Amino acid sequence: MTFPGAIPTLTDGPVTLRAHRPSDVERSVEQSVDAESVRWTTVPTPYSLDDARDYIGSRARAWLEDTEWPFAVEVDRRFGGSVELRNEGPGRAEVAFGSHPDIRGTGAMERALRLLLAWGFEARSLTTVIWWAHAGNWASRKLAWKVGFSFDGCVRQWLPQRGEMRDAWVGTLLASEPLQPREAWEIAADR
Ligand SMILES: CC(C)(COP(=O)(O)OP(=O)(O)OC[C@H]1O[C@@H](n2cnc3c(N)ncnc32)[C@H](O)[C@@H]1OP(=O)(O)O)[C@@H](O)C(=O)NCCC(=O)NCCS
């Protein structure tokens, strides 16, 4: 594997997934200081340009070491966030995602996840993808629902965040399942 040469570029037209680039750093900082990113992820706070440079560098290493398969999300020729699959061993991966505030609510992340998941099932022969989110992260839960994840419940004090353990929502998506909601949101949100 060479970086970025061997990293696939995936596109559906409006949204493109590609390798991270040094020029993503400034918008990566904007994303990482956003209140929703701070609230629901483990992003360092405060967050500097050097943190973003380290993050972009770590994306290349992840591909080289085959531990994660991260992509930058490009919308209108601008960096719009990141999506990735974390390699959990043969057939298994964890999905992770976060968007720049200015692409939220546009459907771009839904498109990005469809591209990512289809690639993972096909190119990495995944059988099961798991989604974790801090309990209460409804934007994440709704996005996972849109692309077909089940909601499998809440695991108490499971996700570490800045020195504390947070309750975690969990769901799964299998290779045999369509990347579409499996039931109405009103039912899914009530589980
Ligand atoms: C999670 C994230 C990528 C989702 O992006 P997105 O799909 O563009 O969605 P939005 O942030 O605009 O929120 C979308 C949906 O969640 C719904 N939502 C948000 N907060 C909600 C709440 N408290 N209760 C119910 N629904 C809620 C919105 O109504 C919206 O639904 P709609 O698309 O049907 O109109 C984005 O919010 C983000 O980057 N958040 C910060 C980082 C993060 O949480 N990453 C995931 C970690 S597991």
Side-chain angles (χ1 to χ4, degrees), residues 15 20 22 33 42 46 50 71 75 77-78 130 162 175 190:
V15 170
H20 288 83
V33 300
T42 55
D50 279 342
F71 294 88
V75 185
R77 298 179 178 227
R78 299 208 298 176
I130 195 163
R162 301 184 193 103
D190 216 27

Side-chain angles (χ1 to χ4, degrees), residues 31 34-41 82 95-101 103-110 131-134 136-143 145-146 159 185:
Q31 176 185 336
D34 155 73
E36 292 297 300
S37 300
V38 172
R39 181 171 182 197
W40 299 116
T41 76
S82 297
V95 69
F97 46 82
S99 62
H100 188 286
I103 73 154
R104 289 186 197 150
T106 66
M109 284 305 272
E110 186 182 341
W131 158 82
W132 290 101
H134 294 123
N137 189 349
W138 283 101
S140 177
R141 180 162 163 178
K142 193 157 197 189
L143 183 53
W145 164 80
K146 283 178 184 172
L159 288 180
W185 172 244

Side-chain angles (χ1 to χ4, degrees), residues 50-61:
D50 279 342
D51 290 316
R53 288 188 192 105
D54 287 349
Y55 172 73
I56 300 293
S58 74
R59 304 306 71 203
R61 283 195 303 281

Side-chain angles (χ1 to χ4, degrees), residues 137-168:
N137 189 349
W138 283 101
S140 177
R141 180 162 163 178
K142 193 157 197 189
L143 183 53
W145 164 80
K146 283 178 184 172
V147 299
F149 280 84
S150 58
F151 181 74
D152 298 344
C154 184
V155 181
R156 293 178 303 154
Q157 299 199 8
W158 182 250
L159 288 180
Q161 186 193 40
R162 301 184 193 103
E164 292 188 37
M165 284 296 175
R166 306 276 182 206
D167 292 352

